[in-house]
Amino acid sequence: MSQKSTSRRDFVSTTIKAGAAISAVSGFTAKSYARVPGANERIRVGLIGCGGRGSWHIGWLQRTAEAGQNVEVVAGCDIWNERRRRAAEIIQERFEFESEPTTYKDHEDLLARDDIHAVVIATADHQHCTHLRDAVNAGKDAYVEKPIALELDDLNKTIDVVKASDRIVQFGTQGRSSKGALAAKKFIQEGGLGKIIRVEESRSAYNPYWNFYKNPEKESDTDWKRFLMHLPYRPFDADMHGAWMGYLGCSNRYCGGLDESYERFCSFPDGC
């Protein structure tokens, strides 16, 4: 492995682990840092999944660049036409490209680019394993949103692919990796709360946040079969596409597990 490749991989590892904790450096832009040659090869990142979370990652990587790391987002991928259009605008604005970056509907096309070193995967939960395996097989380092998998078999298959490679893979834990969460863990482990015999958790939100997510208006706005991926086919459902977090088989929120009828759970006003 070349020294340049080693430096790039070290950077990907440290950058991913630092995440949102990296603060911006005033007086410089993402463009000015990303264009300056340095000790590390510039890390060119592709985004797979350009919804709300994916857009947040664009901002995080911009702040990483402004903090002095040689990184830039160069492409986005999403099956929904509107999200591809919006992602191109955000990437162009954040990294000050003179023209809009290339976006893709099919993630295989993004992964085929030799000039992309790493990807951030922020797609629907049931798609994570497929996108991660494809990314690793394409030679990309990857950051994948939580959860990695909804089914144990899919997880084990993905672990085998990652272990057989030399790729760096990190999955998002966000709050669980924060200083506050780690301090609370340490406090509890050291007996600060005494002997714990029972733990209960509850949510106070009556209307789940995913009910406010936008939906594609018609099937031609997106690629419905790609959305379903390995799940059994069903006719286009705009609500399921936009609010997939509320469907068994698409998400592990609250209920989790695969349910081939795709019953909607925690819907409003009939659920919860």
Side-chain angles (χ1 to χ4, degrees), residues 32-238:
S32 64
Y33 269 120
R35 300 295 189 271
V36 176
N40 295 326
E41 178 186 357
R42 183 184 307 152
I43 310 303
R44 296 168 64 86
V45 178
L47 177 64
I48 301 177
C50 302
R53 195 66 180 172
S55 297
W56 182 88
H57 281 300
I58 297 173
W60 155 52
L61 286 164
Q62 178 210 16
R63 293 187 292 275
T64 301
E66 290 180 340
Q69 303 293 349
N70 207 0
V71 60
E72 62 182 351
V73 179
V74 298
C77 172
D78 202 283
I79 58 174
W80 189 350
N81 301 342
E82 172 59 24
R83 283 183 176 166
R84 287 200 305 278
R85 182 196 66 78
R86 180 58 181 150
E89 292 179 350
I90 295 174
I91 295 171
Q92 181 181 17
E93 177 182 357
R94 290 279 191 173
F95 289 88
E96 302 181 12
F97 292 117
E98 294 181 358
S99 58
E100 286 191 355
T102 304
T103 58
Y104 303 90
K105 178 177 71 69
D106 301 340
H107 69 281
E108 295 93 341
D109 293 334
L110 183 149
L111 294 175
R113 284 180 51 169
D114 292 334
D115 64 331
I116 290 179
H117 307 117
V119 295
V120 172
I121 300 169
T123 50
D125 291 354
H126 70 282
Q127 301 169 357
H128 287 175
C129 278
T130 297
H131 289 149
L132 178 55
R133 289 194 298 266
D134 288 350
V136 169
N137 285 329
K140 315 299 183 187
D141 295 325
Y143 176 97
V144 57
E145 272 292 343
K146 59 187 182 301
I148 294 180
L150 298 182
E151 296 180 276
L152 184 59
D153 288 345
D154 210 17
L155 176 62
N156 287 334
K157 181 179 178 181
T158 303
I159 290 174
D160 289 342
V161 169
V162 174
K163 284 187 173 181
S165 75
D166 63 350
R167 296 298 89 193
I168 296 170
V169 173
Q170 175 82 2
F171 84 97
T173 55
Q174 281 80 47
R176 293 171 178 80
S177 298
S178 68
K179 292 182 178 180
L182 294 176
K185 176 184 177 182
K186 183 174 184 293
F187 178 76
I188 294 171
Q189 287 180 331
E190 292 178 348
L193 294 181
K195 183 178 180 180
I196 299 175
I197 60 175
R198 180 172 178 174
V199 176
E200 293 186 7
E201 188 266 353
S202 63
R203 305 272 178 135
S204 58
Y206 180 56
N207 194 355
Y209 56 86
W210 54 74
N211 282 343
F212 301 100
Y213 287 178
K214 291 180 60 179
N215 306 325
E217 294 182 0
K218 52 186 181 301
E219 186 170 359
S220 59
D221 292 335
T222 186
D223 190 327
W224 178 241
K225 290 184 178 180
R226 273 191 173 262
F227 170 82
L228 291 175
M229 195 165 280
H230 56 273
L231 300 179
Y233 180 78
R234 62 171 290 170
F236 174 68
D237 185 331

